[in-house]
Amino acid sequence: RLTGAEVRFIRKHLRFRQADLARVLNMANHSVVSQWEGREDGAAGMEYNTEVLLRVWMAAKVGMGEQLLELLEATLKDLSPALNGPLEVELPRAA
């Protein structure tokens, strides 16, 4: 899960204000983003689907959208119906 510091890093990398990130993630206001970031090295406390959305959106913003799509398609192709827990897809680290 993303930490508060990672959420802050993503937001600053995008040159967004807290209100901008809140709007992109369809949050009521920037105080939610402030709460996530305030957790520093702990889990931000972001709802799971919101975190997935932020991760996918970031992959697309940094030019890894196609690679993520290929990984998801390959992973989903062999997905067992008895999957217990969230789907995990790991992107290779950028060089």
Side-chain angles (χ1 to χ4, degrees):
R1 304 299 302 257
L2 289 172
T3 67
E6 290 168 330
V7 173
R8 181 180 298 112
F9 174 84
I10 289 169
R11 179 178 62 79
K12 288 187 174 190
H13 175 78
L14 294 169
R15 296 187 173 119
F16 276 12
R17 296 173 301 142
Q18 288 178 342
D20 299 328
L21 184 59
R23 188 172 42 259
V24 165
L25 296 175
N26 200 28
M27 298 291 117
N29 59 52
H30 75 280
S31 67
V32 175
V33 177
S34 178
Q35 290 171 5
W36 294 335
E37 292 181 1
R39 295 195 174 112
E40 292 296 323
D41 293 330
M46 186 180 292
E47 196 268 332
Y48 181 77
N49 290 329
T50 302
E51 183 171 327
V52 169
L53 174 64
L54 181 57
R55 288 175 179 271
V56 169
W57 186 61
M58 275 304 300
K61 292 292 273 183
V62 298
M64 296 184 77
E66 279 295 318
Q67 190 174 6
L68 177 62
L69 181 59
E70 290 170 9
L71 284 168
L72 282 171
E73 287 173 346
T75 303
L76 293 173
K77 177 180 66 169
D78 299 322
L79 189 61
S80 164
L83 178 70
N84 291 326
L87 174 66
E88 293 184 18
V89 176
E90 191 168 324
L91 286 170
R93 299 272 180 207

